[in-house]
Coordinates of all heavy atoms in Angstrom, one line a residue:
C430 N 185.1 -78.8 -92.8 CA 184.5 -79.5 -91.6 C 184.3 -80.9 -91.9 O 183.4 -81.3 -92.8 CB 183.2 -78.8 -91.4 SG 183.3 -77.0 -91.2
P431 N 185.0 -81.8 -91.3 CA 184.8 -83.3 -91.6 C 183.5 -83.8 -91.1 O 183.0 -83.4 -90.0 CB 186.0 -83.9 -90.8 CG 186.8 -82.8 -90.3 CD 186.1 -81.6 -90.3
Q432 N 182.9 -84.6 -91.9 CA 181.6 -85.3 -91.6 C 181.8 -86.8 -91.7 O 182.8 -87.2 -92.4 CB 180.5 -84.9 -92.7 CG 180.5 -83.4 -93.0 CD 180.0 -82.6 -91.8 OE1 178.9 -82.8 -91.3 NE2 180.8 -81.7 -91.3
A433 N 180.9 -87.6 -91.2 CA 181.0 -89.0 -91.4 C 181.0 -89.2 -93.0 O 180.2 -88.5 -93.7 CB 179.8 -89.7 -90.8
G434 N 181.8 -90.0 -93.5 CA 181.9 -90.3 -94.9 C 180.5 -90.6 -95.5 O 179.8 -91.4 -95.0
L435 N 180.2 -89.9 -96.6 CA 178.8 -90.1 -97.2 C 178.6 -91.5 -97.7 O 177.5 -92.0 -97.8 CB 178.6 -89.1 -98.3 CG 178.3 -87.6 -97.9 CD1 177.9 -86.8 -99.1 CD2 177.1 -87.6 -96.9
N436 N 179.7 -92.2 -98.1 CA 179.5 -93.6 -98.5 C 179.7 -94.6 -97.3 O 179.7 -95.8 -97.5 CB 180.4 -94.0 -99.6 CG 181.9 -94.2 -99.2 OD1 182.2 -93.9 -98.1 ND2 182.7 -94.6 -100.2
G437 N 179.8 -94.1 -96.1 CA 179.9 -94.9 -94.9 C 181.4 -95.2 -94.5 O 181.6 -95.9 -93.5
Q438 N 182.3 -94.7 -95.4 CA 183.7 -94.9 -95.0 C 184.4 -93.6 -94.7 O 184.2 -92.6 -95.4 CB 184.5 -95.5 -96.3 CG 184.0 -96.9 -96.7 CD 184.8 -97.4 -97.9 OE1 186.0 -97.6 -97.8 NE2 184.1 -97.7 -99.0
G439 N 185.2 -93.6 -93.6 CA 186.0 -92.4 -93.3 C 185.2 -91.1 -93.2 O 184.2 -91.1 -92.5
N440 N 185.8 -90.1 -93.8 CA 185.2 -88.7 -93.6 C 184.9 -88.1 -95.0 O 185.6 -88.4 -96.0 CB 186.2 -87.8 -92.9 CG 186.4 -88.1 -91.5 OD1 187.4 -88.8 -91.1 ND2 185.5 -87.7 -90.6
S441 N 183.9 -87.2 -95.0 CA 183.8 -86.3 -96.1 C 184.1 -84.9 -95.6 O 183.8 -84.6 -94.4 CB 182.3 -86.4 -96.7 OG 182.1 -87.6 -97.2
F442 N 184.7 -84.1 -96.4 CA 185.3 -82.8 -96.0 C 184.5 -81.7 -96.6 O 184.7 -81.3 -97.8 CB 186.8 -82.7 -96.3 CG 187.6 -83.7 -95.5 CD1 187.7 -85.0 -95.9 CD2 188.2 -83.3 -94.3 CE1 188.4 -85.9 -95.2 CE2 188.9 -84.2 -93.5 CZ 189.0 -85.6 -94.0
R443 N 183.6 -81.1 -95.8 CA 182.7 -80.0 -96.3 C 183.5 -78.7 -96.3 O 184.1 -78.4 -95.3 CB 181.5 -80.0 -95.4 CG 180.4 -79.1 -95.9 CD 179.1 -79.3 -95.0 NE 179.3 -78.6 -93.7 CZ 178.7 -78.9 -92.6 NH1 177.8 -79.9 -92.6 NH2 178.9 -78.3 -91.5
S444 N 183.4 -77.9 -97.3 CA 183.9 -76.6 -97.3 C 183.2 -75.7 -96.3 O 181.9 -75.7 -96.3 CB 183.8 -76.0 -98.7 OG 183.9 -74.6 -98.7
W445 N 183.9 -75.0 -95.5 CA 183.2 -74.1 -94.5 C 182.5 -73.0 -95.3 O 181.3 -72.7 -94.9 CB 184.2 -73.5 -93.5 CG 183.5 -72.6 -92.6 CD1 182.8 -73.1 -91.4 CD2 183.2 -71.2 -92.7 NE1 182.2 -72.0 -90.9 CE2 182.4 -70.9 -91.6 CE3 183.6 -70.3 -93.6 CZ2 182.0 -69.5 -91.4 CZ3 183.2 -69.0 -93.4 CH2 182.4 -68.6 -92.3
S446 N 183.1 -72.4 -96.3 CA 182.5 -71.3 -96.9 C 181.5 -71.6 -98.0 O 180.6 -70.8 -98.3 CB 183.6 -70.3 -97.5 OG 184.5 -71.0 -98.3
Y447 N 181.6 -72.8 -98.6 CA 180.6 -73.2 -99.6 C 180.1 -74.6 -99.2 O 180.5 -75.6 -99.7 CB 181.2 -73.3 -101.0 CG 181.5 -72.0 -101.6 CD1 182.6 -71.2 -101.3 CD2 180.6 -71.4 -102.5 CE1 182.9 -70.0 -101.9 CE2 180.8 -70.2 -103.1 CZ 181.9 -69.5 -102.8 OH 182.2 -68.3 -103.4
P448 N 179.3 -74.7 -98.1 CA 179.0 -75.9 -97.4 C 178.2 -76.9 -98.2 O 178.0 -78.1 -97.7 CB 178.4 -75.5 -96.1 CG 177.8 -74.2 -96.4 CD 178.7 -73.5 -97.4
T449 N 177.6 -76.6 -99.4 CA 177.0 -77.6 -100.2 C 178.1 -78.4 -100.9 O 177.9 -79.4 -101.5 CB 176.1 -77.0 -101.3 OG1 177.0 -76.2 -102.2 CG2 175.0 -76.2 -100.7
R450 N 179.4 -78.0 -100.7 CA 180.5 -78.6 -101.5 C 181.5 -79.3 -100.6 O 181.8 -78.9 -99.5 CB 181.3 -77.4 -102.3 CG 180.4 -76.8 -103.3 CD 181.1 -75.7 -104.1 NE 180.2 -75.4 -105.2 CZ 180.0 -76.1 -106.3 NH1 180.8 -77.2 -106.5 NH2 179.1 -75.8 -107.3
Y451 N 181.9 -80.5 -101.1 CA 182.8 -81.4 -100.4 C 184.1 -81.7 -101.2 O 184.0 -81.7 -102.5 CB 182.1 -82.7 -100.1 CG 180.9 -82.7 -99.2 CD1 179.7 -82.2 -99.7 CD2 181.1 -83.1 -97.9 CE1 178.6 -82.2 -98.8 CE2 180.0 -83.0 -97.0 CZ 178.7 -82.6 -97.5 OH 177.6 -82.6 -96.7
W452 N 185.2 -81.9 -100.6 CA 186.4 -82.4 -101.3 C 186.0 -83.6 -102.2 O 185.4 -84.6 -101.7 CB 187.5 -82.9 -100.3 CG 188.2 -81.9 -99.6 CD1 188.0 -80.5 -99.6 CD2 189.3 -82.1 -98.7 NE1 188.9 -79.9 -98.8 CE2 189.7 -80.9 -98.2 CE3 189.9 -83.3 -98.2 CZ2 190.8 -80.8 -97.3 CZ3 191.0 -83.2 -97.3 CH2 191.4 -81.9 -96.9
R453 N 186.3 -83.5 -103.4 CA 186.0 -84.6 -104.3 C 187.2 -84.9 -105.3 O 187.7 -83.9 -105.9 CB 184.8 -84.3 -105.2 CG 184.4 -85.4 -106.1 CD 183.4 -85.1 -107.2 NE 182.8 -86.3 -107.7 CZ 181.7 -86.4 -108.4 NH1 181.0 -85.3 -108.6 NH2 181.3 -87.5 -108.9
H454 N 187.6 -86.1 -105.5 CA 188.5 -86.4 -106.5 C 187.7 -86.7 -107.8 O 186.7 -87.3 -107.8 CB 189.5 -87.6 -106.2 CG 188.8 -88.9 -106.0 ND1 188.9 -89.8 -107.0 CD2 188.2 -89.5 -105.0 CE1 188.2 -90.9 -106.6 NE2 187.8 -90.7 -105.4
F455 N 188.2 -86.2 -108.9 CA 187.6 -86.2 -110.2 C 188.7 -86.2 -111.3 O 189.4 -85.2 -111.3 CB 186.6 -85.1 -110.3 CG 185.6 -85.2 -111.5 CD1 184.4 -86.0 -111.3 CD2 185.8 -84.5 -112.7 CE1 183.5 -86.1 -112.3 CE2 184.9 -84.7 -113.7 CZ 183.7 -85.4 -113.5
N456 N 188.8 -87.2 -112.0 CA 190.0 -87.3 -113.0 C 191.3 -87.0 -112.3 O 192.1 -86.3 -112.8 CB 189.7 -86.4 -114.2 CG 188.5 -86.8 -115.0 OD1 188.2 -88.0 -115.0 ND2 187.9 -85.9 -115.6
A457 N 191.4 -87.5 -111.1 CA 192.7 -87.4 -110.3 C 193.0 -86.0 -109.8 O 194.1 -85.8 -109.3 CB 193.9 -88.0 -111.1
L458 N 192.1 -85.1 -110.0 CA 192.3 -83.7 -109.4 C 191.2 -83.6 -108.3 O 190.2 -84.3 -108.2 CB 192.1 -82.6 -110.4 CG 193.1 -82.6 -111.5 CD1 192.8 -81.5 -112.6 CD2 194.5 -82.3 -110.9
L459 N 191.5 -82.6 -107.4 CA 190.6 -82.4 -106.2 C 189.8 -81.1 -106.4 O 190.4 -80.1 -106.8 CB 191.4 -82.3 -104.9 CG 191.5 -83.6 -104.1 CD1 190.2 -84.0 -103.5 CD2 192.1 -84.7 -105.0

Side-chain angles (χ1 to χ4, degrees):
C430 306
Q432 313 292 299
L435 283 186
N436 74 351
Q438 298 182 59
N440 294 97
S441 295
F442 293 83
R443 191 173 72 202
S444 162
W445 181 81
S446 50
Y447 288 83
T449 61
R450 298 186 167 277
Y451 294 80
W452 286 4
R453 180 191 197 161
H454 67 97
F455 193 81
N456 295 332
L458 293 175
L459 265 290

